[in-house]
Amino acid sequence: MPKPSYDGPILEIDKLSISFFTRLREIPAVMDFSVAVRPGEAVGLVGESGCGKSTVALGVMRDLGKNGRITGGTIRFKGRDMGEMSREELGRIRGNEIAMIYQEPMASLNPAMKIGRQLMEVPMIHQGASEAEARARALQVVEDVKLPDPKRILNSYPHQLSGGQQQRIVIAMALMSEPALLILDEPTTALDVTVEAAVVELVKDLGKKYGTSMLFISHNLGLVLETCDRLCVMYSGEAVERGSIEDVFDEMQHPYTQALFRSIPLPGADKNARPLKAIPGNFPLPHERPRGCNFGPRCDYFEAGRCDARDIPMSDVPGNDRHATRCLKFQEIDWAAPAELMETKEKGAIGEVILKMDKLKKYYEVSANALFGGGARKVVKANEELSFEARESETLAIVGESGCGKSTFAKVLMGLETATEGQILLDGRNIEQIPIQQRDRKTVGEVQMVFQNPFDTLNPSMTVGRQIIRALEIFGVGNSEAERRNRMLELLDLVKLPREFAQRMPRQLSGGQKQRVGIARAFAGGARIVVADEPVSALDVSVQAAVTDLLMEIQREEKTTLLFISHDLSIVRYLSDRVMVMYLGHVVELGTTDQVFSPPYHPYTEALLSAVPIADTSVQKTHIVLEGDIPSAMNPPPGCPFQTRCRWKSEVPGGLCEREVPKVRDLAEGHQVKCHLSDEKLAEMEPVIKIAAE
């Protein structure tokens, strides 16, 4: 049944204020926030964590919990004030006309109920559909979200699907009632970049097919560029800039928007010649906001007595389409002036080989019926013949989707697992069979790890200083408590944290500060090799820039070898000297960053590059969406591991890709690929990322 059409804004938020009330005080989370979403339009809402993006979405859904209240302004849906609607009316609109997709797909699915049943509930509850109609509709939507074998999917439980498949089901569920407005809250944060690209493509196509308007919440500017028509930038509870994607990206009119763009690595950025510029200072806590402009204390253009005198309203930018900014000085600032050059850094000379892996294999044996331990035993081939070298002062990036074996190899290197075959040589010593309990202090101190989630790696009941001193004691650094205390303070200096942080507890630190403590602890034993496992993916963009630069600076001083595990290819391109691309336990490509980022590439590298969202309107990308999911390492496909998803397979005659694993071959000095494509075919490859000429 088609819904009546409506031609005004689908969603109109006007001067919205939301506060949370604690016993001590009122905490204003959103102030004076306005945005409009027109029919069929996708509006991106960007900003760092804690800026109020999700609070706005929960305000629209009237889901602020016991402590949250709307304290001012209005939210209109299709012209009607939602504040005046009865609970029944709100209940009819939510889930039917307004649907929301959350960050964590598993939280939206009932683990004890089959997917088909969960999907059928939506039209049966909201539209009174019969069981047969609901099943047909569910089948249709599962096809729409491009899931293989829809009948099997409808008959599966959530745990039988991968993360990307679960997220597609959540999107399918949201679309079941053909809502007029779809709110997406960081819907791809937990997904691999290739899956993210497919989900984004899907959301765009379905938005067009169903004519759905979208409010897309994200901290990833590249993703917003690819999915949205308009953009609203938030900072500390306020909208600071609103406008079309082109206006905000190419003619930004707020210092915070400009600072955000300067802290992300765009194609062509160079870690030594053009280091990223992190935003100085810290994000203000809601009850400690400054007078006047919230961004004032961190702004390059701040003027005392003017910017901090009164609340600053949004002002229209003349000549642009619905473009507004919350800045008093936007007409005085020279926005075209080049960024003040950060000091150029000298690249440390790359030294001798410190680490060498030779034909390393890691297999796990699991029983086919893992729950009860019965049945035949199967082998999971997590790593297949990894061979590479890493030198002093070098950054080697290891990239690939989850399940490709990146973290397994890191565990073997750290001694948390032992190798099945092959060898790992650290300064010529074999360490592949020595578990961490049997490694000497020196080896443990020399190979350290910085983890993805800084929250999980610190002891919540110990001060920061004590945790670093504890690491120094374990590594036998210093002859007395006083010496160790001095070294701890030097390590805090190294990671650019104030010395008084030694007295703080982890809960008093932000995510970026916790990650710095993790880095300080990794260097406590004089680490020569640091394995950084997605060290910035849990952090905001501006904090990412600071932590990435910190790692680079420490590397220059300490001559550390950095093994940087990541799926974010923009950061990889910015900071690595060489790149190793992994797929299903195999190294499919290895070379210098320039070699890996320009054709000819392995077909998988090509697809990875095409999937990276880039926050630059002058970049043109070839869109290659990988079909299907990564095969299981327990049951890999025959022949080339990538052949089930490769768009070049038809170029190789005689079904060779399906029969034989390709041999590693050299394309140029230091550049190798594992692929059956002929040299002529590889030479035909076009660059995936092109920067339009100025």
Side-chain angles (χ1 to χ4, degrees):
M1 188 182 85
K3 301 198 175 163
S5 64
Y6 174 77
D7 55 2
I10 293 290
L11 179 71
E12 198 172 5
I13 301 177
D14 188 36
K15 297 191 167 40
L16 177 71
S17 295
I18 297 174
S19 288
F20 289 91
F21 291 84
T22 65
R23 279 181 316 197
L24 295 175
R25 58 168 77 88
E26 172 187 351
I27 298 172
V30 173
M31 296 95 63
D32 185 30
F33 178 83
S34 304
V35 77
V37 184
R38 294 187 174 179
E41 192 173 63
V43 175
L45 198 51
V46 279
E48 296 169 276
S49 31
C51 73
K53 306 185 298 287
S54 298
T55 307
V56 167
L58 294 172
V60 173
M61 297 301 277
R62 286 292 192 279
D63 185 16
L64 291 166
K66 271 195 245 163
N67 298 341
R69 278 213 295 279
I70 293 176
T71 53
T74 55
I75 301 174
R76 292 178 186 280
F77 177 68
K78 290 188 172 177
R80 294 192 52 208
D81 186 344
M82 292 180 78
E84 292 171 2
M85 290 181 188
S86 66
R87 285 182 70 117
E88 289 71 30
E89 279 183 293
L90 280 171
R92 274 199 301 276
I93 284 177
R94 277 196 303 221
N96 185 20
E97 295 210 50
I98 303 179
M100 185 154 173
I101 295 170
Y102 295 90
Q103 187 166 350
E104 191 38 74
M106 241 346 229
S108 310
L109 295 171
N110 180 340
M113 206 170 167
K114 286 186 175 171
I115 297 293
R117 232 337 123 248
Q118 300 193 46
L119 287 171
M120 286 161 64
E121 273 191 344
V122 181
M124 286 166 77
I125 290 170
H126 285 294
Q127 291 159 347
S130 70
E131 192 149 333
E133 283 171 344
R135 178 159 282 279
R137 183 97 182 78
L139 203 58
Q140 171 62 47
V141 201
V142 172
E143 279 172 17
D144 278 352
V145 295
K146 297 192 172 68
L147 280 169
D149 194 355
K151 288 201 169 86
R152 180 186 65 79
I153 296 269
L154 290 182
N155 212 22
S156 305
Y157 287 98
H159 70 268
Q160 294 171 306
L161 307 183
S162 69
Q165 289 176 331
Q166 287 172 4
Q167 192 60 294
R168 285 167 186 236
I169 289 297
V170 172
I171 291 170
M173 202 182 282
L175 291 166
M176 283 294 283
S177 59
E178 299 190 10
L181 176 69
L182 187 56
I183 300 174
L184 301 107
D185 189 357
E186 303 265 15
T188 58
T189 308
L191 305 178
D192 274 314
V193 57
T194 48
V195 182
E196 175 179 82
V199 168
V200 163
E201 195 77 12
L202 174 77
V203 166
K204 274 163 55 181
D205 291 349
L206 294 173
K208 286 194 187 82
K209 176 175 174 179
Y210 292 109
T212 310
S213 304
M214 289 191 280
L215 186 62
F216 193 96
I217 297 171
S218 179
H219 64 265
N220 185 330
L221 286 159
L223 211 51
V224 167
L225 170 66
E226 292 189 2
T227 34
C228 299
D229 311 299
R230 300 183 63 74
L231 173 63
C232 175
V233 181
M234 280 189 85
Y235 180 78
S236 188
E238 296 178 324
V240 292
E241 186 162 8
R242 275 195 310 268
S244 70
I245 290 286
E246 288 75 21
D247 286 345
V248 177
F249 274 62
D250 300 338
E251 295 179 43
M252 55 195 74
Q253 299 286 312
H254 195 281
Y256 175 60
T257 315
Q258 185 184 55
L260 265 187
F261 275 91
R262 285 180 177 170
S263 63
I264 38 183
L266 293 173
D270 175 327
K271 63 181 174 188
N272 296 308
R274 268 182 51 209
L276 297 180
K277 187 167 191 262
I279 304 176
N282 286 318
F283 199 76
L285 292 169
H287 55 281
E288 293 174 358
R289 290 189 177 108
R291 270 180 62 82
C293 174
N294 280 345
F295 188 58
R298 306 174 73 188
C299 178
D300 290 342
Y301 310 104
F302 179 75
E303 190 181 319
R306 183 176 168 198
C307 297
D308 53 5
R310 59 186 176 84
D311 286 349
I312 295 165
M314 289 294 270
S315 310
D316 288 331
V317 176
N320 285 352
D321 167 38
R322 292 181 287 148
H323 189 182
T325 176
R326 196 180 292 274
C327 177
L328 292 175
K329 302 179 68 176
F330 75 95
Q331 288 176 302
E332 303 159 32
I333 294 169
D334 178 4
W335 297 104
E340 216 175 285
L341 250 182
M342 307 279 292
E343 67 182 282
T344 310
K345 304 289 196 319
E346 211 38 59
K347 167 81 186 117
I350 290 177
E352 298 295 306
V353 171
I354 288 186
L355 178 72
K356 185 175 163 78
M357 285 210 184
D358 191 28
K359 298 197 167 132
L360 179 83
K361 288 185 179 181
K362 176 62 186 171
Y363 293 175
Y364 294 96
E365 253 197 22
V366 293
S367 48
N369 184 343
L371 193 57
F372 302 108
R377 300 194 63 77
K378 282 196 160 192
V379 172
V380 176
K381 299 181 174 184
N383 286 153
E384 284 276 25
E385 294 215 349
L386 291 191
S387 298
F388 69 88
E389 294 176 341
R391 298 173 173 78
E392 183 181 82
S393 282
E394 178 179 58
T395 304
L396 171 67
I398 297 124
V399 296
E401 296 167 283
S402 33
C404 73
K406 310 186 292 280
S407 297
T408 302
F409 119 80
K411 285 177 187 162
V412 177
L413 173 61
M414 299 295 298
L416 301 171
E417 301 273 4
T418 52
T420 306
E421 262 181 49
Q423 46 182 356
I424 302 178
L425 297 164
L426 176 66
D427 289 330
R429 306 193 305 279
N430 282 72
I431 58 167
E432 70 282 346
Q433 293 301 334
I434 310 175
I436 195 156
Q437 306 85 316
Q438 291 167 25
R439 289 189 178 181
D440 57 57
R441 265 182 185 173
K442 184 172 179 293
T443 307
V444 173
E446 283 182 345
V447 185
Q448 280 292 304
M449 193 154 180
V450 176
F451 295 89
Q452 177 168 0
N453 199 339
F455 311 97
D456 297 343
T457 55
L458 298 179
N459 183 334
S461 56
M462 214 186 251
T463 64
V464 164
R466 186 74 214 124
Q467 303 201 40
I468 297 173
I469 288 172
R470 181 96 187 82
L472 292 168
E473 284 168 357
I474 290 167
F475 295 134
V477 175
N479 298 318
S480 65
E481 189 65 23
E483 273 184 35
R484 281 192 280 273
R485 186 168 168 75
N486 270 340
R487 179 67 188 136
M488 177 268 291
L489 293 171
E490 285 168 9
L491 283 164
L492 286 179
D493 295 342
L494 180 73
V495 295
K496 303 210 170 19
L497 281 177
R499 288 186 165 202
E500 57 268 24
F501 272 42
Q503 305 309 318
R504 290 203 181 176
M505 303 301 276
R507 64 171 186 275
Q508 297 169 296
L509 271 53
S510 70
Q513 290 166 341
K514 284 183 187 152
Q515 194 58 293
R516 285 163 188 254
V517 177
I519 293 170
R521 213 171 42 177
F523 281 92
R528 298 180 59 210
I529 296 173
V530 170
V531 182
D533 190 358
E534 301 270 13
V536 294
S537 62
L539 307 174
D540 277 314
V541 260
S542 58
V543 184
Q544 274 186 9
V547 172
T548 309
D549 255 17
L550 172 71
L551 278 170
M552 296 291 93
E553 202 161 308
I554 294 175
Q555 181 183 48
R556 279 187 283 266
E557 282 173 27
E558 309 277 320
K559 297 191 166 35
T560 322
T561 303
L562 199 58
L563 299 182
F564 194 88
I565 298 175
S566 180
H567 66 262
D568 181 343
L569 285 168
S570 17
I571 285 199
V572 164
R573 182 177 199 158
Y574 169 71
L575 60 77
S576 60
D577 301 303
R578 286 192 306 138
V579 180
M580 179 163 102
V581 182
M582 287 184 73
Y583 185 81
L584 212 59
H586 293 258
V587 175
V588 294
E589 183 161 9
L590 176 63
T592 66
T593 308
D594 289 343
Q595 286 169 336
V596 172
F597 277 79
S598 48
Y601 343 79
H602 187 280
Y604 177 57
T605 311
E606 179 191 50
L608 270 185
L609 290 173
S610 129
V612 180
I614 298 172
D616 188 338
T617 52
S618 66
V619 168
Q620 293 168 327
K621 276 195 326 180
T622 311
H623 272 284
I624 303 162
V625 172
L626 286 182
E627 297 297 327
D629 283 322
I630 303 184
S632 152
M634 206 187 291
N635 190 15
C640 170
F642 187 57
Q643 54 100 349
T644 54
R645 302 166 82 195
C646 180
R647 71 182 193 133
W648 290 83
K649 187 165 71 168
S650 57
E651 303 287 348
V652 178
L656 188 61
C657 298
E658 289 157 20
R659 287 198 318 273
E660 280 179 35
V661 175
K663 298 243 182 325
V664 173
R665 67 184 216 261
D666 292 321
L667 295 182
E669 176 68 37
H671 186 197
Q672 58 186 51
V673 296
K674 208 175 203 176
C675 183
H676 286 306
L677 279 174
S678 66
D679 287 352
E680 295 76 50
K681 281 290 162 216
L682 284 168
E684 283 173 23
M685 280 193 168
E686 296 275 315
V688 175
I689 298 170
K690 296 191 185 92
I691 301 175
E694 288 298 311

